[in-house]
Amino acid sequence: MDFNQRDYFFQMQQLRQMPYSFMYPYQDLYMSEMETERDLQYLQQMYPADAKRMQRKVEETCDRLEYEGSMMYDEYPDRVSMLLMCDRIAEELRREDAEAQAVDEAQRQNGDETDESMQAMHMDRPGPPPPHMDRPGPPPLPPFDPGRRSLLEVLLYNEMYKRRCKRRQCRRFW
């Protein structure tokens, strides 16, 4: 028996024993990631309106932090920095709430002024004073509820976790 032929025989037997899936263990990983992402987006559609707004702000903030050397990808992110990030997001949300409230109030007053001016035109008397004379400065910002603050922190930490996992998996395969 030729030794070359014998070695070839053993090599062929070893190849037959190794299962195909063992040689390519991550063949279905891409499809499962897509399915998981689609499932997450579907469930996020069911969030209440306030949580959806918070999630959008959190995603915008994390998009700004997605660069090489960012604190988001540190091995142990700093808790104080994370809390400051939550404070900034909460402040943005408070400003948006105050602006929306001011717009609603202005629209409501414009509707009342229109009614009053129509009445004044019919009664031949001067209308109400201009709106800029009787209003003080901008209204104070409403306080941010502690429950909303906690939800904001959870959403931020979850989003950072997702992005860190995605980055880790990408680095593993490249």
Side-chain angles (χ1 to χ4, degrees), residues 10-25:
F10 286 121
Q11 286 176 358
M12 291 306 292
Q13 272 199 339
Q14 286 176 353
L15 282 177
R16 282 188 213 133
Q17 290 174 356
M18 191 179 312
Y20 180 78
S21 62
F22 182 73
M23 290 171 49
Y24 302 104

Side-chain angles (χ1 to χ4, degrees), residues 26 29-30 32-33 161-174:
Y26 299 112
L29 183 67
Y30 182 69
S32 65
E33 274 185 24
Y161 171 75
K162 275 187 353 186
R163 290 175 188 237
R164 288 166 61 106
C165 283
K166 192 180 287 187
R167 184 177 178 102
R168 231 178 276 129
Q169 286 176 352
C170 289
R171 282 188 170 182
R172 185 181 306 153
F173 295 115
W174 294 108

Side-chain angles (χ1 to χ4, degrees), residues 43-96:
L43 291 174
Q44 283 179 347
Q45 288 177 356
M46 291 187 216
Y47 282 1
D50 196 32
K52 283 182 188 178
R53 279 186 48 231
M54 287 183 194
Q55 181 68 30
R56 278 193 298 268
K57 284 292 178 188
V58 164
E59 287 174 357
E60 289 173 11
T61 303
C62 287
D63 286 342
R64 279 186 254 132
L65 284 175
E66 203 159 358
Y67 57 88
E68 190 69 35
S70 170
M71 59 89 62
M72 184 165 64
Y73 299 119
D74 288 346
E75 188 173 354
Y76 297 105
D78 183 31
R79 177 141 176 90
V80 174
S81 299
M82 304 286 281
L83 293 174
L84 287 174
M85 196 181 322
C86 284
D87 286 341
R88 277 187 243 122
I89 296 170
E91 189 66 28
E92 287 178 26
L93 290 169
R94 282 179 51 192
R95 269 196 221 109
E96 285 181 4

